Amino acid sequence: MDENYDRRLLDALHARGADPRVAAATRALSWAGEHGAVWIAAGLAGAAVDGARRERWLRATALTAGAHALSIGVKRVVRRPRPGHVTPLVRTAGRHSFPSSHAASAAAAAVAYWALGSRNACAVVPLAAAMCVSRLVAGVHWPSDVVAGAALGAVTARVGAHMGARRTRAGVPV
């Protein structure tokens, strides 16, 4: 992504945080998404209430947590600094920006839980999108960080689900 475009888009979305309602929602999403907590809790709740698909819910939850962990590993290698020209609306767990771990776990949850076919999973997709945008409103990520994090999460969930399905069909316990 072009650096000027990255900066202009971040600045435009971060400016929305001047509205106290937007800032409050951004802070709530940031808190809920820390370490993938809201997505992991949703997956465990799905496993608890949907006994017929408990194993699938647990696999999807593990993929979501795995995407988050993978993003942290990439972040430690890349070491891109967070945007320094804006005042962030939230504190962050670390100094590095690329990729967005919030976006990685949100996209992984959206893909993994949607694949379960649960009608409750319909709520995950817009919430995941809001989580991704909130990282820009908060001023803690560049747009390219969020795009990369979301792509990493979606691919991790998709590939992991495909591999799990192949192993299940082959009679190998997952």
Side-chain angles (χ1 to χ4, degrees), residues 64-155:
T64 300
H68 182 79
L70 181 59
S71 72
I72 290 171
V74 172
K75 199 175 282 210
R76 288 183 177 162
V77 171
V78 174
R79 304 175 67 82
R80 181 183 194 186
R82 294 190 184 273
H85 71 286
V86 296
T87 302
L89 297 179
V90 296
R91 289 186 181 177
T92 59
R95 298 182 319 235
H96 302 117
S97 186
F98 183 92
S100 167
S101 296
H102 278 71
S105 58
V111 169
Y113 300 158
W114 182 269
L116 291 171
S118 169
R119 60 188 149 93
N120 294 331
C122 293
V124 174
V125 174
L127 185 58
M131 178 77 66
C132 290
V133 172
S134 78
R135 304 311 285 162
L136 303 172
V137 174
V140 294
H141 282 288
W142 297 101
S144 53
D145 300 337
V146 173
V147 170
L152 178 84
V155 168

Side-chain angles (χ1 to χ4, degrees), residues 8-67:
R8 285 194 317 268
L9 184 56
L10 170 63
D11 291 348
L13 289 169
H14 182 61
R16 302 302 178 255
D19 181 325
R21 296 167 298 181
V22 173
T26 296
R27 288 184 183 102
L29 285 165
S30 183
W31 178 81
E34 197 63 47
H35 305 296
V38 70
W39 311 115
I40 293 168
L44 294 175
V49 301
D50 188 358
R53 294 185 294 177
R54 179 167 287 123
E55 292 302 317
R56 290 178 63 200
W57 274 105
L58 291 174
R59 190 175 308 123
T61 304
L63 290 170
T64 300

